[in-house]
Amino acid sequence: MNIRIECTYRTAKGTEAFFRSEEMPAAKGVIIAEDLERTGRSKNLVFIDNYDSSWTMKEMKGYLKGVETEPHNVTVYFDGGYDRETQKSGLGCAIYYEMNGKSYRLRQNAAVAELLSNNEAEYAALYMGIQELEQLNVHHLPVRFIGDSKVVINQMSGEWPTFEKDLMRWADRIDQKLKDLGIQPEYELVPRKANAEADRLATQALNGTEISGTIELIPEK
């Protein structure tokens, strides 16, 4: 979860000013907020999340302790491809998350035959990513969903209306699954080259190569 710090700062001579920080990961925010509090000159310090909810220091520390042993800081890249000649679709997703102080990447793809368009394949890829989150026991957290499909990203974020019945069914299905899991989605549209990993997984699925697995990401020294 990303947060902003808000507080009132009082100088030694009594002059006060209101400050709001840039957005940052919650764990980093707690470290900075603790340092501010040690000065003895900050007051009314709170954390504001992406949904404009306010958190006290105690609440934020409790949240961080609770999620330490569960997947958090989750980002899902998804992509779907449709082959008109074979009428088959390839779905791909790459999920990045942290748990127990370590970083992980999960990759999954699938080939399906019952979809009718590229847009439907994109929706199916997003839904597959959410199913993987359910298997990881991700719940009641904000999650970033990143894709290169203008249709899916803009429709799911509410920027565009959804008129096609097939796509509407997918959107409703996804919204319900996210609600059931308590996931707060953040949708981000990126250029295709910035979604290369998910795109490659979808293409591999179309070509008959199955990918499924999770690895720990070791920081470079």
Side-chain angles (χ1 to χ4, degrees), residues 201-213:
L201 288 165
T203 300
Q204 288 172 318
L206 274 174
N207 293 333
T209 301
E210 296 182 0
I211 304 293
S212 180

Side-chain angles (χ1 to χ4, degrees), residues 173-184:
R173 189 179 181 188
I174 288 166
D175 281 337
Q176 186 60 53
K177 176 64 75 173
L178 292 173
K179 182 179 179 180
D180 292 344
L181 296 174
I183 290 174
Q184 303 146 21

Side-chain angles (χ1 to χ4, degrees), residues 107-164:
R107 296 193 301 165
Q108 182 69 46
N109 71 358
V112 293
E114 64 271 18
L115 306 180
L116 302 176
S117 69
N118 191 75
N119 286 334
E120 197 175 358
E122 293 277 8
Y123 266 107
L126 172 57
Y127 188 75
M128 182 180 72
I130 297 169
Q131 288 179 307
E132 293 299 322
L133 295 182
E134 185 174 24
Q135 293 297 316
L136 284 172
N137 198 32
V138 174
H139 60 92
H140 298 92
L141 289 175
V143 174
R144 293 174 65 207
F145 293 96
I146 298 177
D148 56 48
S149 168
K150 290 183 179 180
V151 170
V152 172
I153 296 296
N154 288 330
Q155 288 181 347
M156 291 305 302
S157 63
E159 295 292 324
W160 290 1
T162 307
F163 297 114
E164 302 91 337

Side-chain angles (χ1 to χ4, degrees), residues 32-212:
I32 293 173
E34 286 178 330
D35 192 64
L36 281 169
E37 289 189 334
R38 278 193 289 269
T39 68
R41 295 180 178 175
S42 66
K43 63 180 184 178
N44 302 325
L45 189 150
V46 295
F47 303 96
I48 307 298
D49 64 23
N50 292 341
Y51 297 89
D52 291 326
S53 296
S54 177
W55 301 63
T56 65
M57 177 70 82
K58 182 178 180 180
E59 289 170 337
M60 186 55 65
K61 285 185 175 181
Y63 164 80
L64 291 174
K65 185 176 181 179
V67 302
E68 183 178 354
T69 58
E70 297 181 356
H72 56 279
N73 289 342
V74 183
T75 299
V76 179
Y77 291 84
F78 70 93
D79 195 39
Y82 178 72
D83 188 327
R84 291 184 179 180
E85 291 185 6
T86 63
Q87 296 185 335
K88 292 183 179 180
S89 300
L91 317 179
C93 71
I95 301 175
Y96 291 81
Y97 62 96
E98 297 176 15
M99 186 170 65
N100 294 320
K102 299 179 180 180
S103 298
Y104 296 90
R105 182 195 67 194
L106 179 154
R107 296 193 301 165
Q108 182 69 46
N109 71 358
V112 293
E114 64 271 18
L115 306 180
L116 302 176
S117 69
N118 191 75
N119 286 334
E120 197 175 358
E122 293 277 8
Y123 266 107
L126 172 57
Y127 188 75
M128 182 180 72
I130 297 169
Q131 288 179 307
E132 293 299 322
L133 295 182
E134 185 174 24
Q135 293 297 316
L136 284 172
N137 198 32
V138 174
H139 60 92
H140 298 92
L141 289 175
V143 174
R144 293 174 65 207
F145 293 96
I146 298 177
D148 56 48
S149 168
K150 290 183 179 180
V151 170
V152 172
I153 296 296
N154 288 330
Q155 288 181 347
M156 291 305 302
S157 63
E159 295 292 324
W160 290 1
T162 307
F163 297 114
E164 302 91 337
K165 290 183 179 180
D166 290 340
L167 302 188
M168 193 178 297
R169 281 194 291 268
W170 277 108
D172 290 343
R173 189 179 181 188
I174 288 166
D175 281 337
Q176 186 60 53
K177 176 64 75 173
L178 292 173
K179 182 179 179 180
D180 292 344
L181 296 174
I183 290 174
Q184 303 146 21
E186 302 170 14
Y187 296 103
E188 182 178 343
L189 179 65
V190 297
R192 187 172 184 178
K193 65 180 180 180
N195 198 33
E197 186 172 25
D199 176 71
R200 183 167 56 253
L201 288 165
T203 300
Q204 288 172 318
L206 274 174
N207 293 333
T209 301
E210 296 182 0
I211 304 293
S212 180

